Amino acid sequence: TYLCNAAEQDVPAAIEAIANDEGISLGSGTGLVFAAMDNRLSSPRFMKLLQEAIEAFGAKCRSFGLLSTPQLHLIIRETNLSPEGASKNIGEDFYFNQLSSAFHKLLALRPPHNTQSYEPSLLVDCANGVGGEKILRLQSLLGDCISINPKNIGDGAVVNYECGADYVNQGRRLPRGFSASDIKGSRLASIDGDADRVVYAYVDESASFHLLDGDKIMALYAGFVIDQLRALAADDVTVGIVQTAYANGAATKYISEQLGLPIVWSPTGVRHLHSRAHHYDIGLYFESNGHGTVLIQDSAVAKLDAALAKNPSEVAVRAHDVLLTMRELINQAVGDALSDLLLVEVVLAHRGWSAADWSKIYTDFPSLLLKVKVADRTIITTTEDETQATGPTGLQAAIDAHVARYRDSRSFVRPSGTEDLVRVYAEARVASDARDLAYDVAGSVFDIAGGVGPRPVKPSDEADVATRKLRDLVVAQGRPLPIG
């Protein structure tokens, strides 16, 4: 970020400062940089410029061509962990072989079911990004254990245009190329253009759309992990859940009260969640946008082995093997849409669940996110976890007063990292309360923090009835949004 924000004349000094902080000797000739690109038309030009810049510093560049962001992260991690280092030449084949092998192993470890709602068939929206090509390669290695039908796989279309995880998650709608009839009775996984985020969706018998976002994915994973640990009697394995303030309150309540797991709050941004997840033997983190993973540390492996030695029953052996194989399937370097969706399919197969069964574990609380333009976003300051405003004076008191008026509600504000605007999040048990609270807080932000332009105004009670009903459906995150 420091380098990206540096003025052109300050770039050399910024690079030197980063090198000094990281203990890198510039111009030593020993540096090796791994690089890859996505399928955007501009990528080859940027790759060429990057290679020239790396060589100008006396380092070498190893280009992997077309890769997803998580693939490159995993290759770098495995190379750094390998005793042979870069000479091992770990590449894309390693990634695909590890994922496909682990997926087959985990499916073979399924317990028998008396009832089975799970269907091994999945539709995938690839956002016209790099994941389109990669999922086709993955599909060829998975065989007939699951049927994957990918769409929006690229072919020159604009990346993320009317498709992808963000489009589906924020708009609560189907992506381009999919209709309600396409996914009725099935389920859809929508990944983003970089293939590091994934959300799920399904359509019920009444043609209503249901979103299964990153919060729902983490809750699914967490319940599965806890079941394996209980079967193995591995009571000393520490498990932690890392969330941001944007996580839906119903997810937090389910994980903390139903699963009995501790919640750790983190600032927004995957780097913050990832580092906090490392504090546990098994750390799970997800943002509601679908970016997250499960980190299973070496300490966890040692404790799982010790637990199995004490309890070598058939059930314990299966649970032990499931957790160790999960570590191979789920990307340990960063959130990865492809490994995440494969783990979702594994858990659903083990549970014998349909998407509707999964959706029932909890119902999202209604919420609304608004933006308020301000003259200077830097006057808005917050606590580290971003749940409380520390400046300007009086803002948090105003937020607290508004929250007190609505049952089971919460609200927080945080400044944008790039624009002079403030994001306002509000949540309540009732959709209308969430909407009203959001506009109340937005008004206080405008008044206290130097808003510009028109003051946020709550839609009139005399607004068109049909418009208000549609708006309430959009606000109610956990409620179905009819298609059409």
Side-chain angles (χ1 to χ4, degrees):
T1 304
Y2 175 57
L3 178 60
C4 291
N5 289 331
E8 185 174 351
Q9 68 272 15
D10 298 329
V11 167
I15 293 174
E16 185 174 346
I18 293 170
N20 290 335
D21 290 344
E22 300 296 331
I24 300 170
S25 177
L26 295 176
S28 64
T30 59
L32 176 61
V33 178
F34 286 8
M37 62 182 182
D38 61 20
N39 63 330
R40 290 175 172 86
L41 295 177
S42 57
S43 290
R45 177 173 176 270
F46 281 120
M47 176 64 82
K48 183 175 182 296
L49 292 172
L50 176 62
Q51 290 174 313
E52 291 174 355
I54 292 168
E55 291 166 2
F57 280 96
K60 295 180 180 179
C61 179
R62 181 178 294 177
S63 172
F64 289 85
L66 196 68
L67 287 181
S68 71
T69 301
Q71 283 183 306
L72 183 60
H73 276 269
L74 183 66
I75 289 170
I76 293 171
R77 178 182 186 274
E78 295 298 325
T79 300
N80 287 333
L81 292 176
S82 170
E84 302 100 308
S87 63
K88 190 173 181 180
N89 287 320
I90 295 172
E92 190 175 23
D93 287 346
F94 172 86
Y95 173 88
F96 283 119
N97 290 336
Q98 178 166 295
L99 260 64
S100 59
S101 174
F103 184 71
H104 284 292
K105 288 179 186 177
L106 285 166
L107 287 185
L109 289 166
R110 278 179 297 180
H113 290 289
N114 293 326
T115 59
Q116 178 66 274
S117 298
Y118 177 76
E119 293 291 338
S121 177
L122 179 68
L123 300 169
V124 182
D125 161 32
C126 300
N128 292 314
V130 65
E133 176 186 296
K134 304 311 174 185
I135 205 161
L136 291 174
R137 169 84 182 275
L138 184 61
Q139 182 184 30
S140 69
L141 297 172
L142 297 180
D144 58 3
C145 62
I146 184 171
S147 173
I148 296 179
N149 181 13
K151 292 185 180 181
N152 299 328
I153 59 174
D155 300 327
V158 178
V159 178
N160 291 324
Y161 177 67
E162 294 187 351
C163 57
D166 281 347
Y167 178 84
V168 173
N169 183 48
Q170 294 177 10
R172 301 180 182 275
R173 55 195 168 188
L174 292 176
R176 175 187 288 262
F178 293 88
S179 66
S181 59
D182 290 333
I183 68 170
K184 186 180 292 186
S186 183
R187 60 195 172 280
L188 168 72
S190 183
I191 68 178
D192 73 323
D194 297 326
D196 58 5
R197 302 179 190 180
V198 62
V199 297
Y200 269 68
Y202 73 97
V203 171
D204 63 24
E205 290 302 316
S206 64
S208 292
F209 174 91
H210 298 261
L211 177 70
L212 300 158
D213 62 5
D215 294 338
K216 238 10 178 304
I217 292 173
M218 183 161 65
L220 180 74
Y221 288 174
F224 187 66
V225 167
I226 287 299
D227 283 354
Q228 308 313 310
L229 292 175
R230 287 172 178 163
L232 189 54
D235 300 330
D236 59 341
V237 175
T238 61
V239 181
I241 304 296
V242 186
Q243 292 184 318
T244 72
Y246 287 108
N248 193 274
T252 302
K253 186 178 178 67
Y254 171 79
I255 292 169
S256 62
E257 297 183 7
Q258 298 297 315
L259 301 182
L261 292 174
I263 303 290
V264 176
W265 297 104
S266 166
T268 304
V270 172
R271 71 184 187 277
H272 300 299
L273 286 93
H274 194 91
S275 65
R276 283 162 173 75
H278 271 296
H279 296 166
Y280 299 89
D281 294 327
I282 300 179
L284 300 88
Y285 72 86
F286 257 89
E287 293 185 297
S288 52
N289 63 18
H291 197 159
T293 192
V294 181
L295 302 182
I296 303 178
Q297 314 286 357
D298 291 342
S299 59
V301 176
K303 292 178 180 179
L304 295 174
D305 290 345
L308 182 62
K310 295 179 182 178
N311 173 30
S313 67
E314 180 180 346
V315 172
V317 169
R318 178 188 287 124
H320 174 271
D321 292 350
V322 164
L323 288 169
L324 293 193
T325 309
M326 264 183 63
R327 193 187 193 203
E328 299 173 11
L329 177 63
I330 198 76
N331 196 318
Q332 296 296 290
V334 72
D336 182 344
L338 299 189
S339 69
D340 282 339
L341 72 83
L342 289 182
L343 184 54
V344 167
E345 295 303 313
V346 164
V347 178
L348 293 179
H350 274 247
R351 298 288 200 211
W353 282 358
S354 66
D357 295 327
W358 171 18
S359 182
K360 291 174 185 175
I361 61 176
Y362 67 82
T363 300
D364 281 331
F365 295 152
S367 66
L368 184 63
L369 182 65
L370 298 177
K371 297 177 182 179
V372 181
K373 291 184 179 181
V374 294
D376 179 10
R377 70 182 186 276
T378 63
I379 71 167
I380 302 286
T381 56
T382 69
T383 54
E384 186 184 17
D385 61 12
E386 300 174 338
T387 60
Q388 297 279 309
T390 55
T393 301
L395 180 56
Q396 186 58 49
I399 295 172
D400 292 341
H402 292 312
V403 169
R405 295 171 52 212
Y406 301 97
R407 175 174 170 263
D408 295 331
S409 66
R410 68 185 182 101
S411 182
F412 67 90
V413 301
R414 62 179 293 267
S416 167
T418 56
E419 305 172 79
D420 280 323
L421 58 83
V422 179
R423 291 181 172 87
V424 175
Y425 179 88
E427 182 181 286
R429 286 276 184 172
V430 180
S432 58
D433 285 353
R435 181 189 65 233
D436 292 349
L437 175 58
Y439 278 99
D440 288 345
V441 173
S444 291
V445 169
F446 187 92
D447 296 339
I448 298 172
V452 297
R455 188 180 189 276
V457 177
K458 183 169 55 181
S460 169
D461 289 339
E462 286 75 35
D464 178 77
V465 174
T467 302
R468 292 186 64 207
K469 285 183 177 180
L470 179 60
R471 184 177 61 245
D472 283 347
L473 285 168
V474 173
V475 171
Q477 292 194 346
R479 294 166 56 189
L481 178 61
I483 297 170

